[in-house]
Amino acid sequence: MTTLATRSLSLRYGDRTVVRDLDLTLPGGAVTAVVGPNACGKSTLLRGLARLLDPAAGTVTLDGADLHRMPARTLARRLGLLPQQPVTPEAITVEALVRLGRYPHQRLLSPWSAADQAAVESALARTGTAELRGQPVDRLSGGQRQRAWIALTLAQDTDLLLLDEPTTFLDLRHQLDVLELVAELHRDLGRTVVMVLHDLGQAARYADHLVVLDRGRPAAAGPPAEVLTAELVERVFQVPCRVVPDPETGTPLVVPRAGARHRQPA
């Protein structure tokens, strides 16, 4: 099982520290959702886990090895990343985009192999984008485009996927399509997934493990049913609420109290 961990991790932009002295273990073979208020450090943490941002202090380890000391190609074979707003190369088709996921497996002067094409075909089929293979990515709907980018990460064939707000800008149907796809990848292929989400109900429904960040520090971490309480939501999000079982899944569902004024943070 692929396990990510941080020890005394601090991340900053310039003089501003966003994540501070963070000790965290993200379980292998699980779906972890990272949640928290705006500007609490969720996406910054994911950038640190993906080696897009160097630690100001502390370490990130992948199965016990210092992630920042790994050769780039080795890391790319083990970790796939879907950034928050990926930049699509101009006029690239869906299949050409997905083929980019095979780059870490290529060798100098090596021809494109049957295994490479099989990985691409599997990724297209898994994400329901096979019929879109010849379409330019920049002409797709938001949901189709997101599935094409997820297909790229699948073609990369890593055990670990990091997804930064994969449902942002999508309507409810496409949000659920993406989250059901994530659940399928975990269930059928055993992928370890770490994703940043905003919706607490969706995080509780689709994640095995929940990390709640507050001002760059962990407010709580563990199974959603244990972590997501009314007291925690009010303390971290300043929203008075009740937490009740979801009638469909039994997972925690946050219901804001009617007419209650939201408390401003201290």
Side-chain angles (χ1 to χ4, degrees):
M1 296 294 182
T2 302
T3 302
L4 267 177
T6 69
R7 294 292 174 263
S8 303
L9 179 67
S10 293
L11 299 167
R12 67 168 61 117
Y13 297 109
D15 295 332
R16 183 170 64 95
T17 299
V18 179
V19 171
R20 188 185 306 274
D21 198 28
L22 186 68
D23 289 332
L24 199 62
T25 298
L26 304 177
V31 176
T32 294
V34 181
V35 300
N38 288 343
C40 73
K42 300 184 298 294
S43 291
T44 298
L45 172 60
L46 214 69
R47 286 175 59 82
L49 296 177
R51 209 168 74 175
L52 297 180
L53 186 61
D54 290 333
T59 59
V60 180
T61 60
L62 179 58
D63 292 337
D66 188 336
L67 182 142
H68 285 82
R69 293 180 181 274
M70 289 184 181
R73 191 179 289 269
T74 298
L75 181 62
R77 291 195 201 107
R78 303 198 59 193
L79 182 155
L81 171 69
L82 176 64
Q84 189 175 135
Q85 292 180 307
V87 178
T88 303
E90 187 175 357
I92 195 170
T93 65
V94 169
E95 182 172 358
L97 179 73
V98 176
R99 285 169 68 100
L100 295 178
R102 299 303 298 166
Y103 172 75
H105 302 274
Q106 300 298 298
R107 288 286 182 268
L108 188 63
L109 304 180
S110 296
W112 183 260
S113 69
D116 291 324
Q117 190 61 36
V120 168
E121 295 299 332
S122 176
L124 291 169
R126 281 276 177 189
T127 55
T129 53
E131 68 277 12
L132 302 172
R133 66 171 69 231
Q135 294 292 317
V137 176
D138 55 10
R139 295 185 187 175
L140 301 180
S141 70
Q144 291 172 329
R145 192 158 49 242
Q146 197 74 318
R147 284 189 285 131
W149 278 99
I150 292 175
L152 182 155
T153 65
L154 287 186
Q156 198 173 329
D157 196 23
T158 62
D159 291 329
L160 172 63
L161 298 175
L162 304 183
L163 310 176
D164 192 0
E165 299 189 25
T167 59
T168 299
F169 306 127
L170 300 183
D171 62 28
L172 180 58
R173 173 193 163 190
H174 288 103
Q175 289 176 28
L176 296 176
D177 282 348
V178 167
L179 292 171
E180 288 290 343
L181 174 58
V182 169
E184 178 185 302
L185 298 177
H186 168 62
R187 182 183 64 246
D188 296 348
L189 303 180
R191 297 288 196 268
T192 298
V193 180
V194 180
M195 58 182 174
V196 171
L197 292 177
H198 279 289
D199 188 293
L200 296 178
Q202 290 179 351
R205 175 179 284 204
Y206 287 99
D208 310 300
H209 187 78
L210 205 62
V211 174
V212 184
L213 288 186
D214 185 19
R215 304 179 196 183
R217 297 178 182 271
E226 297 177 11
V227 165
L228 207 56
T229 65
E231 292 78 14
L232 178 129
V233 174
E234 183 163 2
R235 173 165 54 88
V236 174
F237 295 89
Q238 286 80 52
V239 176
C241 68
R242 296 175 60 204
V243 176
V244 300
D246 185 308
E248 289 292 327
T249 63
T251 53
L253 184 64
V254 175
V255 182
R257 291 192 177 275
R261 288 178 60 85
H262 295 172
R263 244 185 345 103
Q264 295 300 311

